[in-house]
Amino acid sequence: MRKFEKLIFDLKNGIKRKISSRRLKIQVTVEEFHLLSKKYFLELKKGAEKFQFKVDPKDKDNILFILRVYYGLWIEVNELSITIHSKFPKRFILTKEVNKTNHYFTPKTFPKGTIMYSVGSAYSSSNGMAGTSLWDNLNPIEDTDLIPSVQINYDFIKPDGK
């Protein structure tokens, strides 16, 4: 089941257990998920390309955690306005240079305008609240099936649209 369809299914049927992350120190109980579903997602329908809504400041972190980390969805955030996209982009463009000063863990500098490809984090080391795993090509590391990746923070990227 695709991620967006899983969200629709869970909104309709509820979740069976809490959603949590020890690393991020955040959790959403079954009851909290139910209340957030009724508050924000009653109009979200299967087959929608995107869905926009306003979020209360007190709910924002939980909503971002649910959508970005648990479901792995592409969302745009503008203050308290959130847009959920049914499809996660495959390609992104860097809107700013990524280097050791703004992404200390990056293995190399990526200039502004670089096309980056969405790749799964090989070791689950990405913080989905802050960014997503990308790389500038889809070539696996020699003698492996692994494609390198680095977390690029959301405010450094925009979908390429291709």
Side-chain angles (χ1 to χ4, degrees):
M1 183 181 302
R2 284 192 26 220
K3 296 171 183 181
F4 187 74
E5 280 85 24
K6 172 122 177 69
L7 170 65
I8 300 290
F9 179 86
D10 288 348
L11 292 173
K12 181 180 177 186
N13 300 300
I15 57 174
K16 305 294 183 229
R17 60 186 176 92
K18 72 180 177 187
I19 301 169
S20 63
S21 169
R22 271 188 292 170
R23 185 171 54 141
L24 298 174
K25 296 181 177 97
I26 191 168
Q27 78 170 2
V28 177
T29 66
V30 172
E31 181 59 28
E32 287 171 322
F33 183 88
H34 176 72
L35 293 172
L36 292 170
S37 297
K38 290 176 85 172
K39 186 172 182 178
Y40 296 108
F41 302 117
L42 286 177
E43 301 298 317
L44 179 57
K45 304 291 182 220
K46 187 176 181 176
E49 291 287 317
K50 61 184 176 177
F51 177 73
Q52 187 172 13
F53 63 99
K54 298 265 189 239
V55 65
D56 286 339
K58 66 180 175 56
D59 296 331
K60 186 175 179 181
D61 285 343
N62 282 347
I63 292 290
L64 293 178
F65 173 69
I66 290 167
L67 298 174
R68 282 186 168 158
V69 178
Y70 186 70
Y71 290 103
L73 297 170
W74 177 251
I75 62 172
E76 294 176 67
V77 181
N78 185 1
E79 300 293 324
L80 298 176
S81 176
I82 296 176
T83 303
I84 305 170
H85 294 268
S86 64
K87 295 181 181 149
F88 199 91
K90 293 181 181 357
R91 292 171 34 134
F92 293 87
I93 298 173
L94 293 182
T95 58
K96 306 173 196 168
E97 179 179 273
V98 172
N99 56 48
K100 291 271 187 208
T101 60
N102 53 41
H103 287 72
Y104 71 90
F105 42 80
T106 189
K108 64 183 185 178
T109 295
F110 298 99
K112 177 182 176 178
T114 301
I115 300 292
M116 302 293 284
Y117 299 90
S118 180
V119 294
S121 176
Y123 301 103
S124 247
S125 57
S126 257
N127 172 356
M129 290 291 281
T132 189
S133 295
L134 303 173
W135 198 246
D136 62 351
N137 66 65
L138 294 173
N139 302 326
I141 299 169
E142 192 172 325
D143 297 325
T144 74
D145 292 335
L146 296 175
I147 297 172
S149 67
V150 65
Q151 175 182 310
I152 306 291
N153 293 340
Y154 295 119
D155 56 346
F156 282 74
I157 60 174
K158 68 177 183 178
D160 182 22
K162 292 184 180 181

